[in-house]
Amino acid sequence: MAQNRKAAIGFIFVTLLIDVTGFGVIIPVMPKLIQQLLGSSDISIASEYGGWLTFAYAFMQFICAPILGNLSDKYGRRPVLLFSLFGFGIDYLFLSFAPSIWWLFVGRIIAGITGASFTTASAYIADISTPENRAQNFGMIGAAFGVGFILGPMLGGLLGEYGARIPFFVAAGLALTNWLYGYFVLPESLDKEHRRAFEFRRANPFGSLAQLKKYPAVSGLIVSLVLVYIAAHAVQSNWSFANIEKFHWTPKMIGISLGLVGLLVGIVQGGLIRFINPALGNEKSVYVGLGLYALGLFLFAFATESWMMFVFLIPYCLGGIAGPALQSIISGHVPPNEQGELQGALTSLMSVTSIIGPPLMTTSFAYFTGPYKPFYFPGISFLIGAVLMLLSAILAYRALKGEKEQVAVAVNE
């Protein structure tokens, strides 16, 4: 059984690795493609469109992720994961051939409808994990993300030198190859006896979020998670635009920087977390990780030299110990046959924040770098993110402290 679990983790790791590599390939050239389709060299305008493209993806994912999560609880993880991977391949083809900016929105909408690879992968990991290794196994998702972000952006940055659309063709090929790999290799993780009937009441996005109220610790951490997800978009949605504006980075430089992000995330979540998490415990890992996130974002905001952005990635990426610890705390309160529903609800929650975060961060950036700025401050989004991370740490502390007090009262009674 243990050997089968290790093999399954290896399968899901490779599947996510190829998936993230394909996603990472397009990031360094997305600003350039948006500028070409708009016929404008103004990076502040391009950033606003970039934010709304992410909004389109996130909105559709918010609607569809809980449906796919619940379908995976009924039919198994494998078919849902394969459907998601195929959808990403179609999305990248739309982006490759897009004749106008609106075709980019069509592609992003398709990706949002089918984009449940990480949702289903998280449920898959929960299926095959024990309470003792759950956090470490969730860390493998982060490791796949990290390694994929070493390969993807660096490859995209290099290919982008030959044309803004080339990386999108490569991404489509990777996604469809990943779909074939999963079809022939990926095993099912959810036994039939652990499956449950599909209920639309629990599959609609608002109903899925409402299910989180059944678990006190989960409900208490919802606001904290919302702030973390919004804060992360200071980097996820704005890294390329901010550094193009401030340091005149090329797609190649963006690719190299994101490759370093991937390397650091892979080291932290694929290696260091296996020592840090047992030493600190889940709760302290959350606090320390969120503090490091906040520090890294604050330093990004006030960096004055290009090389500083690379150095300041170290504390920021070390903050990655917080995510798997939070996932471990939350999933530990949910039975096996509801893990798909939980991960679908969390993905919906992430999608809600992705509806809010990208426009917030890119619009703030555009305002403070555009013609009507009160003062020039291209690091504004990073500063907003730092403040939100600190608030998240405070709220997480209050939520977990409240749960401990409730347990203590119950024991005394």
Side-chain angles (χ1 to χ4, degrees):
M1 180 65 70
Q3 189 65 32
N4 290 338
R5 285 176 175 172
K6 288 182 179 179
I9 290 172
F11 289 137
I12 205 72
F13 175 81
V14 173
T15 297
L16 289 176
L17 174 62
I18 298 174
D19 193 22
V20 175
T21 300
F23 179 77
V25 160
I26 71 173
I27 293 177
V29 293
M30 183 63 86
K32 186 177 179 181
L33 181 60
I34 293 172
Q35 287 177 310
Q36 286 181 1
L37 293 176
L38 290 175
S40 171
S41 60
D42 190 331
I43 195 65
S44 64
I45 295 176
S47 71
E48 290 190 86
Y49 274 92
W52 289 114
L53 281 166
T54 306
F55 169 91
Y57 169 81
F59 180 79
M60 296 310 301
Q61 190 176 63
F62 170 68
I63 299 298
C64 298
I67 297 174
L68 295 179
N70 277 265
L71 286 173
S72 79
D73 283 339
K74 177 176 174 61
Y75 296 107
R77 317 301 184 200
R78 184 176 182 275
V80 174
L81 187 57
L82 292 177
F83 174 73
S84 175
L85 297 176
F86 184 77
F88 272 120
I90 300 302
D91 165 42
Y92 295 138
L93 287 175
F94 265 92
L95 300 181
S96 301
F97 293 104
S100 70
I101 191 71
W102 305 114
W103 281 95
L104 296 187
F105 282 94
V106 173
R108 292 284 79 192
I109 288 169
I110 292 173
I113 292 171
T114 62
S117 58
F118 275 82
T119 302
T120 313
S122 296
Y124 194 111
I125 292 295
D127 291 339
I128 61 177
S129 298
T130 63
E132 292 77 20
N133 65 14
R134 186 177 285 117
Q136 290 90 332
N137 287 344
F138 275 125
M140 290 302 294
I141 296 177
F145 186 90
V147 175
F149 256 69
I150 296 171
L151 302 175
M154 293 186 72
L155 179 61
L158 292 172
L159 293 173
E161 299 293 309
Y162 300 99
R165 295 178 186 267
I166 300 298
F168 292 91
F169 287 106
V170 174
L174 286 172
L176 295 175
T177 299
N178 198 13
W179 171 66
L180 287 173
Y181 167 81
Y183 182 82
F184 289 107
V185 177
L186 192 68
E188 180 54 67
S189 65
L190 186 65
D191 297 331
K192 290 186 177 180
E193 58 267 26
H194 286 132
R195 299 181 187 182
R196 63 174 179 83
F198 178 87
E199 300 176 52
F200 186 76
R201 173 181 60 84
R202 300 170 70 172
N204 75 78
F206 300 102
S208 182
L209 288 174
Q211 293 299 315
L212 295 174
K213 295 180 180 179
K214 294 190 300 184
Y215 313 105
V218 173
S219 297
L221 291 170
I222 285 179
V223 178
S224 177
L225 277 171
V226 165
L227 294 179
V228 170
Y229 290 149
I230 293 175
H233 279 284
V235 172
Q236 294 174 11
S237 301
N238 206 50
W239 180 262
S240 299
F241 299 110
N243 286 304
I244 289 171
E245 171 67 24
K246 196 170 183 179
F247 302 115
H248 307 292
W249 282 8
T250 63
K252 183 178 180 180
M253 182 64 76
I254 294 169
I256 291 171
S257 70
L258 292 175
L260 179 60
V261 171
L263 176 62
L264 292 173
V265 170
I267 291 172
V268 171
Q269 298 201 14
L272 292 181
I273 196 172
R274 295 181 177 271
F275 303 99
I276 295 173
N277 184 270
L280 295 179
N282 284 332
E283 186 175 343
K284 288 184 179 178
S285 293
V286 170
Y287 304 145
V288 172
L290 292 177
L292 288 167
Y293 269 145
L295 175 61
L297 287 164
F298 183 83
L299 294 172
F300 290 152
F302 295 98
T304 57
E305 300 288 342
S306 188
W307 61 265
M308 292 180 179
M309 300 301 286
F310 288 85
V311 174
F312 297 158
L313 282 171
I314 296 174
Y316 179 78
C317 291
L318 282 171
I321 63 173
L326 271 171
Q327 280 188 298
S328 181
I329 293 170
I330 293 171
S331 66
H333 288 74
V334 178
N337 66 346
E338 295 181 9
Q339 288 291 336
E341 178 183 53
L342 169 68
Q343 300 303 332
L346 292 179
T347 301
S348 289
L349 183 66
M350 193 185 326
S351 296
V352 171
T353 62
S354 294
I355 293 170
I356 300 168
L360 171 65
M361 298 303 179
T362 57
T363 302
S364 298
F365 166 77
Y367 179 66
F368 280 90
T369 58
Y372 303 108
K373 56 184 176 292
F375 55 90
Y376 181 73
F377 186 26
I380 182 64
S381 298
F382 298 130
L383 183 59
I384 293 172
V387 172
L388 292 177
M389 287 293 187
L390 289 176
L391 288 175
S392 175
I394 294 169
L395 292 173
Y397 173 78
R398 292 181 61 184
L400 293 171
K401 182 182 178 183
E403 183 187 8
K404 287 180 183 178
E405 290 174 351
Q406 290 176 2
V407 171
V409 169
V411 170
N412 291 332
E413 292 178 349

